[in-house]
Amino acid sequence: MKNTKQNKKPAKFVKREIKKEANEPLPEGAALNKSLPAGKGGKKIYQALRGMHDVLPKDEKYWAALYHTAEKLASYYQFARVETPILEEASLFIRSVGKGTDIVDKEMYIFEDRDGTRVALRPEPTAGIVRSYIQHGLWNAPQPVKVWTSGPIFRHDRPQAGRYRQFYQFDFETIGAKDPAMDVELILVAYSIFKDLGISTEVRINSIGDREERARYVAELTNYYRGKRAYLCDDCKNRLSKNPLRLLDCKVEGCQPIKETAPQIIDWLGESSKNYFMKVLEYLDELSIPYLLDHTLVRGLDYYTHTVFEIYESAREADPSAASLTGAQSALAGGGRYDLLAEELGGQSAPAVGFGLGIERAVTVLKALEEKKPGSIPGVVYDVFFAQLGEEAKRRSLKILNELRFSGIRPAFNLFRGSLKAQLETANSLKVPYVLILGQKEVQDKTIIIRDMESGVQEIVDQKKLEAAIKKKLIDRLPK
Ligand code: AMP
C-alpha cells in the first residue's frame, strides 16, 4: 500500500510542473499545441496577440477574390483609392465617433506617442478619410469626392468567432453630396461585392433623421426606457445614461419585449427626412436589392444622420442554422450617411455617406460557399509546370521562366526541388496538362521536353519555338 501511495505522488508533482511551465520558455521538444514546433534551446515561441491573427497562404485565394472584386467595382463606379495613416490623433476619433460609444469608451488602442501626443490606432476608417478631405481642401475638387481604401482596423473588444481586435475592412466613402442616389450607389457597391462572388445578401435599413429629429427621438426613447429601468439588463441600464440609442441593439432576451414596444424613430422624422428615406427605398426597389426595414438599426456612432444600413448573408430558408456567421457577429458590412462630420471636424459642410465591409467575415462566408460548391472560388490556374534537372538547367531556368512571363503562359515551378519525381508529383497535384522538362542535354541542345501529363507522351521542341508549341497545345485542348 505504502508503495502505491508513493507511486502516485510523483504523478501529481509532474502535473503541477507542467502547469507552471505554461508561462515559461518551453523546454526543448515540448510543443505548446499540436501545430507549434518546439522552441529550440528552450527559447520562447511567440504567438500573435490575443484577438490578432495571421492570414496564411492557404487562405490567399479568398482574400484575392475579395480584393479583385472590390477593385473592379471601385474602378467601375469611379471610387479613387486613398490611403490614410493607421495612427491618428486620438481626439479625432473621440470627436467623430463620440463619447458614450463602445468604440471610444472601451475599445480604442490609445497611447501616448514619444512626443507626448495622444494617438490611437484607427478604430474605424471614416474619421481619417474626412480628416484627409479637410486637410487637403478636397471641397475644391469636383464633388462628390468618391474614395475607397482597405486595411486594418483596431478595436480592443472581447475576441470571439468573427470578432477580432485587428481586422480588415474595405471602406467606400462619397463625400460632398446629399442625394438618395449616392446612398444607394454605395449600397449597390457593397451588395455587388457579395453578389459577384456568389454570396446572397439582404440589406437592413433605417433612417435616424437629422440631428434635431434624433435628439427629440432619443428624449422620447429615454423617457420610455426610464419607466422600465428595473426590468433592464445591466448593459441597458448603462446605455440608458450613456448612449440611449444603443438600447435598441440589445440582444438579451429579457429586454426584447421592452424593445418591441419602444417608440420607433421613423415616427419622429419630419417630412423632408421621410421623403429622403422613401426615395432611397424606391431606388432599392428599382434595383431589386432585397431589403428589410429595421427600426432598431441605429448604428450608435455619433456621426450618423439619415440613412443607416447593414448587410447580412440572406437567411437560408431551407436551413437557417447553416448560415456561415451567427449572432451579433453576423453583419458583413455596415454604413450610413454622415452629413455633419466634416463641419464638426472644422471643415466646410460636406454631406457624405459611406460603408465598411469586414473582410474576415466575408472570407468565412466564401469558405463555406467553397465547401458547399467546390470550385466556386477558383485559385490560380497554371498552364504548365516547369521542371529542371541538374545545375546547368537550374541556371538557365530563371531566364526561360522570365521569357515565358511575356508570353501570357502561366508556369508553376519550384527551383528548390531537384528530383524529377518530386517535381512531377507537384505538377500532378496542380493538375497541369503539361510539364516542361529542362535537363543537361536540353540546355546543350537548346531544346526542351514537353510532357503530356494525361498520355505521358513526350516531345522535344526547340527552346525558340517553345511559346508557340505550348500555345498551340493549350488552344487544341479548349472545348470546340
Ligand atoms: P462596423 O462599422 O462596426 O459596423 O463594421 C463594419 C464591418 O466590419 C462589420 O459589418 C463587420 O463585417 C466588420 N467588423 C466589425 N467589427 C469587427 C471585428 N471586431 N472583427 C471582425 N470584423 C469586424
Side-chain angles (χ1 to χ4, degrees), residues 103 124 155 157 162-169 299 301 304 310-311 331-335 356-361:
I103 290 184
E124 60 87 48
R155 292 183 193 166
D157 203 349
R163 197 200 281 158
Y164 298 97
R165 288 180 173 169
Q166 178 180 332
F167 59 97
Y168 287 77
Q169 275 190 0
R299 298 209 24 89
L301 272 57
Y304 284 119
E310 282 182 346
I311 297 188
L332 291 172
L357 182 153
I359 299 182
E360 283 85 351
R361 291 190 194 171

Side-chain angles (χ1 to χ4, degrees), residues 13-25:
F13 184 56
V14 168
K15 217 172 166 187
R16 237 189 285 138
E17 245 189 7
I18 288 172
K19 241 188 187 168
K20 187 172 153 267
E21 278 169 2
N23 293 326
E24 291 176 356

Side-chain angles (χ1 to χ4, degrees), residues 88 105 123 140 147 152 161 275 292 325 333 340 343 387 424:
E88 299 266 5
D105 289 3
N140 291 319
V147 296
N275 282 340
L292 205 80
L325 295 159
L340 308 170
E343 267 172 288
L424 287 180

Side-chain angles (χ1 to χ4, degrees), residues 317-329:
E317 276 155 34
D319 179 10
S321 67
S324 329
L325 295 159
T326 49
Q329 278 67 253

